Amino acid sequence: MMNACWKWIDERTGLGTWIAACRERRVPGRPCLCRALPCMLAFAFAVQAITGVVMLMRYCPSTQTAWESVYYLQHEVQGGWLLRAVHHYTGQAVLVLVWLYLLGMIFRGTYRAGREFVYWSILLLGLVALAQLLTGDLLAWDDNSRSATLTRVGFLEALPGVGESLFKLAAAGPEFGNLTLAQFTALHTIVFAGAFLLLLAFRGWFARRTEKIAALSAVGSSQEPSRDREGAVATRETEKPLPHGRGSESTSGTRFWPGQALVNVLGCVILLAVVFGCALS
């Protein structure tokens, strides 16, 4: 019964083929925790999205109700304080993971030709993650968050000529109020969250494309023409290992499953443990 059900799902979705392709995928070298950073980023974003949706169900974005709704979630809802803390520290962890990823690419030289779009997408991910933290800070609508956000946005007024217009655009009006809170809520929950998810998908697509191109180039370079005794041209494969230069992931190396897959799971568990440790401290 289960085999028939799985076959029916595989025929209509191709899920089995995709899982088999993931299991056959190869990574250069041995399983490494640094290669788990993209998976940890996706996991952290998923935790942020889940906790954010639950918090949004209890949030009222207006100057009269924002602080009260956050207070109610923090002190009255069972487990609300933990939910809010996990959401907060996961957002901080996303920013740390993005910059660790960028530094790793810079030190390994994997930002060079062939992987520029991967590097740029990660760089944009860092900027979007920072924007999420800044817009989410105002949603508590307490004295600290209002004064901090007003200071950040107030720098726009120092720009000659367009400063006042940019301030009104950022604050959704001449001063902070209901429209400001509504705008920051939309930016935090829809615009920047959607941009982060889109950039994460672009990073995965660009990375897989460069892997395929590198694998095809490595296979092509490992074949060289040779002549037999009668002068006929034959093609043989050399026995030297395929190169891994500059972050290329060729067909050599170790399989993604189970080695690197288990390392990815371990990285996500460590991330979750750190977040819960910070939330409970």
Side-chain angles (χ1 to χ4, degrees):
M1 181 64 181
M2 293 297 297
N3 291 335
C5 181
W6 175 250
K7 183 179 179 180
W8 181 82
I9 294 174
D10 184 30
E11 289 176 351
R12 285 153 180 80
T13 63
L15 184 61
T17 305
W18 178 79
I19 293 176
C22 290
R23 294 180 64 179
E24 293 298 325
R25 179 189 170 194
R26 291 182 174 273
V27 293
R30 297 180 179 179
C32 178
L33 192 60
C34 63
R35 295 194 188 95
L37 288 176
C39 181
M40 294 169 67
L41 265 176
F43 176 75
F45 177 77
V47 173
Q48 261 203 308
I50 294 171
T51 54
V53 168
V54 177
M55 291 172 58
L56 193 60
M57 294 178 182
R58 301 283 185 177
Y59 183 71
C60 300
S62 72
T63 56
Q64 289 77 29
T65 59
W67 184 87
E68 287 83 355
S69 61
V70 173
Y71 180 88
Y72 179 78
L73 176 67
Q74 181 77 18
H75 300 283
E76 301 296 333
V77 176
Q78 186 175 6
W81 63 273
L82 180 61
L83 185 72
R84 189 177 175 217
V86 168
H87 184 80
H88 171 76
Y89 287 111
T90 306
Q92 306 288 335
V94 166
L95 193 60
V96 172
L97 289 173
V98 168
W99 295 115
L100 284 177
Y101 197 169
L102 281 175
L103 289 175
M105 293 188 71
I106 292 173
F107 286 131
R108 295 196 306 268
T110 54
Y111 63 92
R112 297 191 179 102
R115 294 180 64 91
E116 299 98 326
F117 280 97
V118 178
Y119 177 78
W120 293 339
S121 61
I122 295 297
L123 183 62
L124 291 176
L125 273 176
L127 297 178
V128 171
L130 181 61
Q132 278 193 297
L133 291 177
L134 296 179
T135 53
D137 186 32
L138 182 65
L139 303 188
W141 200 250
D142 54 15
D143 292 337
N144 291 333
S145 64
R146 284 200 306 270
S147 60
T149 307
L150 186 59
T151 301
R152 300 185 196 110
V153 179
F155 282 109
L156 296 175
E157 292 184 307
L159 297 176
V162 296
E164 185 177 355
S165 300
L166 290 177
F167 178 85
K168 290 181 179 179
L169 180 63
E175 59 183 10
F176 274 22
N178 288 326
L179 292 179
T180 308
L181 196 55
Q183 177 170 284
F184 271 61
T185 303
L187 289 173
H188 181 74
T189 59
I190 299 175
V191 177
F192 292 135
F196 191 94
L197 182 61
L198 190 62
L199 287 170
L200 202 60
F202 280 160
R203 189 225 69 88
W205 187 76
F206 290 139
R208 291 300 297 160
R209 187 174 185 274
T210 53
E211 288 174 13
K212 292 179 181 179
I213 293 176
L216 291 175
S217 300
V219 171
S221 63
S222 65
Q223 295 180 350
E224 60 180 11
S226 62
R227 292 184 175 272
D228 56 15
R229 294 179 179 178
E230 297 178 357
V233 177
T235 302
R236 62 180 178 85
E237 294 187 2
T238 59
E239 296 179 355
K240 60 183 179 180
L242 301 181
H244 301 289
R246 292 186 179 181
S248 65
E249 296 186 10
S250 64
T251 54
S252 62
T254 57
R255 287 188 177 182
F256 175 79
W257 180 270
Q260 187 60 46
L262 293 178
V263 174
N264 290 355
V265 173
L266 178 62
C268 294
V269 171
I270 294 174
L271 173 64
L272 199 59
V274 171
V275 169
F276 270 94
C278 295
L280 294 174
S281 61

